[in-house]
């Protein structure tokens, strides 16, 4: 399955991107383990700052500016030869209601999906950790109504492939539930995809 990693016109393996939206304790431990590796570099989205901006209807331009900045950081990591790891700040942000918390979660997932979609044509694979993060990436970011399940890279980690007619075509996306595995599982999945 890792051998499905996309390659460029010269046959060289294209780089990957890891998204971590889930903030359960196991996801925190997996993210910390991954970020210790020299081949990975983190780009953090500060949840509290995004939440404050979402409260102000006039802050749309500020959020767009921040989004462009995060995209530039991701591009700089790719240019360095490392794998960018885009993640939301850790911990639970207190929200006034269930609906406010849901809206914030969806806005963050949408932001991550847009950033990933901007880079997708240049990527060899994507790893997406978190159910809402993965769904939003596939449905909204990549605009897919269907994907083709290829199998499990590791137990519980489904690898899907974008359709041949999609943009980008035949991109492997590893969907990774938030509370699955042990502290090493995300690192193992990244290492397998990098070896592909």
């Amino acid at each position: 399955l890792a051998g499905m990693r996309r390659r460029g016109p010269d046959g060289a393996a294209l780089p990957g991107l890891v998204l971590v939206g889930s903030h359960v304790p196991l996801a925190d431990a997996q993210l910390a383990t991954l970020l210790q590796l020299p081949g990975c570099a983190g780009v953090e989205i500060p949840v509290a700052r995004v939440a404050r901006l979402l409260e102000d209807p006039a802050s749309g331009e500020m959020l767009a500016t921040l989004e462009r900045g995060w995209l530039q950081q991701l591009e700089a990591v790719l240019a360095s030869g490392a794998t960018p790891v885009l993640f939301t700040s850790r911990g639970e942000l207190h929200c006034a209601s269930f609906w406010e918390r849901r809206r914030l979660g969806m806005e963050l997932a949408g932001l991550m999906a847009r950033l990933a979609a901007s880079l997708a044509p240049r990527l060899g694979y994507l790893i997406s950790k978190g159910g809402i993060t993965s769904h939003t990436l596939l449905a909204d970011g990549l605009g897919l109504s269907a994907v083709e399940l290829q199998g499990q890279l590791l137990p519980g980690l489904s690898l899907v492939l974008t359709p041949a007619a999609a943009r980008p075509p035949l991109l492997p996306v590893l969907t990774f539930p938030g509370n699955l595995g042990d502290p090493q599982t995300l690192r193992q999945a990244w290492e397998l995809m990098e070896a592909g």
Side-chain angles (χ1 to χ4, degrees):
L1 291 175
M4 296 179 143
R5 180 179 180 179
R6 288 182 355 125
R7 299 186 173 274
D10 62 355
L14 294 172
L17 171 65
V18 179
L19 307 179
V20 181
S22 176
H23 54 79
V24 298
L26 178 57
D28 295 350
Q30 290 171 343
L31 175 63
T33 300
L34 185 65
L35 291 176
Q36 291 173 0
L37 300 176
C40 293
V43 174
E44 181 177 359
I45 296 175
V47 173
R49 186 171 187 190
V50 172
R52 283 193 305 274
L53 289 172
L54 290 174
E55 291 172 3
D56 179 5
S59 65
E61 184 53 42
M62 173 60 91
L63 194 53
T65 300
L66 288 172
E67 189 170 331
R68 286 190 296 272
W70 291 318
L71 182 58
Q72 289 172 351
Q73 290 178 51
L74 292 167
E75 289 172 335
V77 174
L78 284 172
S80 77
T83 300
V85 180
L86 179 64
F87 64 97
T88 53
S89 55
R90 303 291 86 193
E92 185 79 29
L93 184 69
H94 177 72
C95 293
S97 70
F98 165 81
W99 297 110
E100 184 180 306
R101 183 179 185 282
R102 181 161 174 76
R103 176 178 174 251
L104 175 60
M106 295 304 293
E107 291 284 351
L108 289 165
L111 171 61
M112 295 179 83
R114 287 191 303 275
L115 289 167
S118 294
L119 298 172
R122 294 182 269 163
L123 297 177
Y125 67 89
L126 271 161
I127 297 174
S128 180
K129 183 155 182 67
I132 292 173
T133 303
S134 297
H135 172 78
T136 306
L137 168 67
L138 295 170
D140 300 336
L142 299 177
L144 303 175
S145 59
V147 291
E148 189 176 317
L149 177 63
Q150 301 300 305
Q152 293 187 10
L153 184 70
L154 292 169
L157 305 188
S158 296
L159 191 135
V160 300
L161 202 58
T162 63
R167 295 277 182 243
L170 306 177
L171 175 67
V173 180
L174 186 67
T175 60
F176 197 135
N179 209 4
L180 187 132
D182 62 42
Q184 303 299 320
T185 308
L186 182 57
R187 175 190 61 80
Q188 291 168 346
W190 174 78
E191 287 175 340
L192 286 169
M193 293 306 296
E194 278 295 299

